[in-house]
Amino acid sequence: MKFFIDSGNLDEIKSANNFGIIDGATTNPSLIAKEGIKGKKNIFDHYKKICDIIEGDISAEVISTTTKGIIKEGHELSEIDDKIVVKVPMIEDGIKALDYFSKNKIKTNCTLIFSAAQALIAAKCGATYVSPFIGRLDDWEKDKNAGIKMIKDIKNIFTNYNYNTEILAASIRNPKHIIECAKVGVNVITTPLKSLLELTKHPLTDVGLKQFLDDYKKNNP
Ligand code: E4P
């Protein structure tokens, strides 16, 4: 399973990358806005900085909502760096753009996926990745398993038809989401730094380490 860092913050992206396990990054307009970066040039420069840190695919999202606009913006984004993957929303105009990008060998990530039906359509249009949003679906359905159920359905469908589209599980809120995705066999999870760090924790690890160090000190006064 590939691990992407889901952030627009360069320090966080560097910290995550220092673990040596990061295979790519995802951003969205809200994450970029959180960093206070405004204006097309500054935003594009920021994407370039992320490309310079991370070895792997970097998703950068379009703002346009018409097929023509998405295609134009997608070309501009993909010129920033070979690592850029054009992130396209799951809307009718986005689907037409996915088909265009697929035929023109431009990598895409179809975002804001909340059902297996949407993922199926994106795969059929040749999306490189689909991003099903787990946490947001759990909140909306008021069912803590809704997101993972969707991921299982998408995995079944993609396996049935041998789609090459990769499942990039997004809107990860906790380590449990990551482990459930791994059990299903998604291709990629994109995680905030916090959930990535939580993966390394267990209370018994802390208790055990303290005991080992105390015993060492007692034996080596
Ligand atoms: C990444 O591609 C998504 O935009 C992101 O995971 C959404 O996460 P959120 O639901 O925590 O905002």
Side-chain angles (χ1 to χ4, degrees), residues 74-75 78 84 86 100-108 128:
H75 275 290
S78 58
I84 292 286
V86 181
Y100 167 88
F101 288 132
S102 163
K103 287 175 178 145
N104 285 276
K105 309 267 178 269
I106 291 175
K107 284 196 274 187
T108 52
T128 315

Side-chain angles (χ1 to χ4, degrees), residues 20-40:
I21 61 158
I22 296 297
D23 304 293
T26 51
T27 62
N28 63 40
S30 303
L31 290 171
I32 297 294
K34 209 170 137 196
E35 297 308 305
I37 299 155
K38 300 175 206 288
K40 192 169 167 181

Side-chain angles (χ1 to χ4, degrees), residues 6 26-28 87 109 111 131 133 136 170-173 190:
D6 193 21
T26 51
T27 62
N28 63 40
K87 210 170 173 194
N109 173 357
T111 189
S131 284
F133 278 34
R136 290 192 200 191
S171 192
I172 297 281
R173 298 279 162 76
T190 187

